[in-house]
Amino acid sequence: EKQIKSMAVAEEPQRFKAEFIRLAEIICANEDLDKTTIPKNLVHHHSEYHPVGHHVTWLHVAAFFNNITAASTLIRLGADVNALSREGKTPLGIAQERPSSTSIIALLSRHGALSSPPSEVHISLDVAGIDPALFTADVSVFTCVICMAVPRNPVVFPCKMEHIFCFNCIKNAKVCPHDREPRGGFHLVNLKGAILRAYNNLTLECEMRCGKWKGTIADMAQHTRTSCCRSSAVCLNFGCDKVFLRKDLSSHFPFCSFREVKCLFCSESMRWRMLEEHKAICPRFFIQCNHSQMCEPFERQYEKLHGGRCPYQPVDCPWRDYGCQHRCQRRQLHEHQTDIRAAQMHQEGVRNVTSRLTATVAELSATVVELTAGMQEMKKRVASFEDRDDNKRRRR
């Protein structure tokens, strides 16, 4: 525990490296190491500062020093391979920056590690129309002469030839761009009948140019919305409104701060962004004794129990009521009580207290005697008054 604590507060790179190497040797000495042998804090602990970076896990440190044995042990114990440091680096990203780290890069990659989180994108489709080059047949009949694209929302202009345009392109037009025929009081109409069926059956490639889809224009919106790898998609985690390419969405999930996770100590479910705050109140999170760093970490729910047993807690001498003002750690209390000079002082204190109590008892006894005599005198007076009253009643 001393080594772990010194690692968390190390300030010099060489000293920190030496402390980590010693700890790695301790970890790797036992191949049967399990979660009960080592505190979970070591696997998932974040240190505020050391040479690797700010707020990093020990898996970041193992990747930095290219210690594959320690890294594999930490992964086996459940360390997060995609944990981010405050600089936004993953263990794999740190390993890729270090020389001669091929083996640890391969280890992290096998366990699903990513070098960096995906970048958020903002994609908007051109609502005016679809590029005619994407279609497999001639689409000149359906091409809008204003934007020179196939309409996404086609309408028919009320002219004799019933020319087709994009609604956004023609909605404010007063004459037909083809034959200059005035619109008059007629409204734009949607495609109907055979023209609508022919439009819906137009075959084209994916407008996002993913190269993996070909179908009708009627099915294109469904493909773009649900399966196109180059279309934009919002993160599925509740509360996260970030938009990515669909092909990058799965890479975003391990980094999403709104993803559902379980506390590794108490198994309570929560959003990842609440995990650090939860650790401050988690009843099963390992904490350090407030009195000494020499105490082994214990679960927070046993903090009060430990406080009454901690050998390093400062306590008063049990003979304090007899005048002993000595205060020491609980583990040193027995030594103090068995000390000859302390025992003599305790005996002297007992004698002094006994003398004071004896004097107090004597004073109280004298007071009782006086009060008893006074009570007897009062009884005699009362009896004489009663006799006097009886005599007066007899005379009458």
Side-chain angles (χ1 to χ4, degrees):
E1 290 303 320
K2 279 185 176 180
Q3 292 173 343
I4 295 173
K5 190 66 178 180
S6 61
M7 288 172 61
V9 299
E11 296 181 356
E12 299 127 1
Q14 295 301 326
R15 174 190 167 198
F16 180 80
K17 182 175 181 179
E19 294 290 349
F20 175 76
I21 291 175
R22 284 201 294 271
L23 181 61
E25 291 173 353
I26 295 173
I27 295 175
C28 305
N30 185 0
E31 293 298 332
D32 298 327
L33 196 66
D34 57 16
K35 292 185 178 181
T36 61
T37 310
I38 186 170
K40 295 181 182 179
N41 301 47
L42 177 62
V43 183
H44 307 283
H45 172 71
H46 285 72
S47 179
E48 286 301 321
Y49 169 80
H50 44 61
V52 180
H54 291 79
H55 201 71
V56 300
T57 65
W58 295 120
L59 190 56
H60 287 86
V61 180
F64 182 83
F65 292 126
N66 196 24
N67 192 319
I68 188 170
T69 311
S72 60
T73 304
L74 291 170
I75 292 174
R76 181 159 52 88
L77 292 174
D80 185 3
V81 295
N82 286 316
L84 289 176
S85 66
R86 187 172 296 171
E87 292 83 1
K89 294 182 178 180
T90 63
L92 180 57
I94 289 179
Q96 291 173 344
E97 297 174 357
R98 304 293 295 171
S100 304
S101 57
T102 306
S103 56
I104 199 165
I105 290 176
L107 171 69
L108 294 170
S109 299
R110 285 199 306 271
H111 289 84
L114 300 173
S115 58
S116 63
S119 302
E120 188 176 2
V121 297
H122 299 279
I123 299 178
S124 59
L125 297 176
D126 184 7
V127 296
I130 306 171
D131 186 1
L134 297 174
F135 291 85
T136 58
D138 182 21
V139 291
S140 57
V141 176
F142 297 97
T143 302
C144 173
V145 297
I146 298 176
C147 64
M148 300 307 295
V150 176
R152 197 181 303 277
N153 47 356
V155 292
V156 177
F157 192 85
C159 61
K160 292 181 180 179
M161 298 302 295
E162 296 185 342
H163 294 120
I164 298 174
F165 301 93
C166 297
F167 174 76
N168 291 335
C169 296
I170 201 67
K171 61 182 178 181
N172 295 323
K174 302 300 181 183
V175 296
C176 177
H178 271 287
D179 50 25
R180 313 304 298 174
E181 183 178 341
R183 179 174 176 176
F186 298 98
H187 298 285
L188 302 174
V189 295
N190 295 323
L191 301 185
K192 298 179 182 179
I195 300 239
L196 177 60
R197 289 193 295 273
Y199 174 81
N200 288 334
N201 290 329
L202 290 176
T203 304
L204 74 163
E205 297 177 356
C206 174
E207 63 178 333
M208 301 301 298
R209 292 175 171 81
C210 67
K212 299 180 180 180
W213 180 87
K214 182 182 290 186
T216 62
I217 197 171
D219 299 330
M220 183 181 61
Q222 178 72 13
H223 162 71
T224 303
R225 186 172 61 253
T226 60
S227 59
C228 179
C229 63
R230 293 182 61 86
S231 64
S232 59
V234 181
C235 177
L236 300 178
N237 292 322
F238 179 78
C240 182
D241 56 356
K242 293 184 177 180
V243 181
F244 301 88
L245 292 178
R246 192 177 302 278
K247 65 184 181 65
D248 294 332
L249 197 58
S250 59
S251 300
H252 162 69
F253 288 148
F255 301 98
C256 181
S257 60
F258 289 88
R259 68 184 185 271
E260 191 79 11
V261 296
K262 284 188 176 182
C263 175
L264 296 167
F265 303 93
C266 66
S267 300
E268 180 180 348
S269 298
M270 67 196 73
R271 301 292 179 185
W272 183 87
R273 63 202 306 264
M274 303 298 296
L275 196 57
E276 288 301 319
E277 297 181 9
H278 170 73
K279 287 181 180 179
I281 59 174
C282 178
R284 304 201 63 181
F285 187 77
F286 286 88
I287 60 175
Q288 190 69 43
C289 177
N290 295 327
H291 305 296
S292 174
Q293 299 175 3
M294 299 299 294
C295 287
E296 294 184 1
F298 53 88
E299 294 181 359
R300 181 177 282 109
Q301 60 182 339
Y302 301 124
E303 184 173 9
K304 291 184 178 179
L305 180 62
H306 173 79
R309 300 178 178 178
C310 178
Y312 298 96
Q313 182 183 14
V315 294
D316 294 325
C317 176
W319 299 89
R320 183 180 180 83
D321 294 339
Y322 295 94
C324 182
Q325 302 298 321
H326 184 76
R327 184 176 176 83
C328 62
Q329 294 180 348
R330 182 177 278 111
R331 64 190 181 91
Q332 299 170 338
L333 198 58
H334 178 72
E335 180 181 353
H336 166 69
Q337 291 178 314
T338 56
D339 183 70
I340 297 178
R341 288 180 295 180
Q344 292 174 351
M345 183 176 62
H346 295 161
Q347 291 176 359
E348 183 65 24
V350 171
R351 283 195 294 269
N352 293 337
V353 172
T354 303
S355 299
R356 289 197 299 269
L357 290 177
T358 303
T360 302
V361 169
E363 292 177 1
L364 293 176
S365 299
T367 303
V368 170
V369 171
E370 292 177 1
L371 292 176
T372 302
M375 187 179 296
Q376 295 296 331
E377 183 65 24
M378 291 298 295
K379 287 182 178 180
K380 290 180 180 179
R381 290 183 181 182
V382 171
S384 64
F385 287 143
E386 290 178 351
D387 293 341
R388 188 182 303 171
D389 291 341
D390 292 340
N391 292 334
K392 288 182 180 179
R393 281 196 294 270
R394 290 195 192 98
R395 290 173 186 174
R396 292 176 183 174

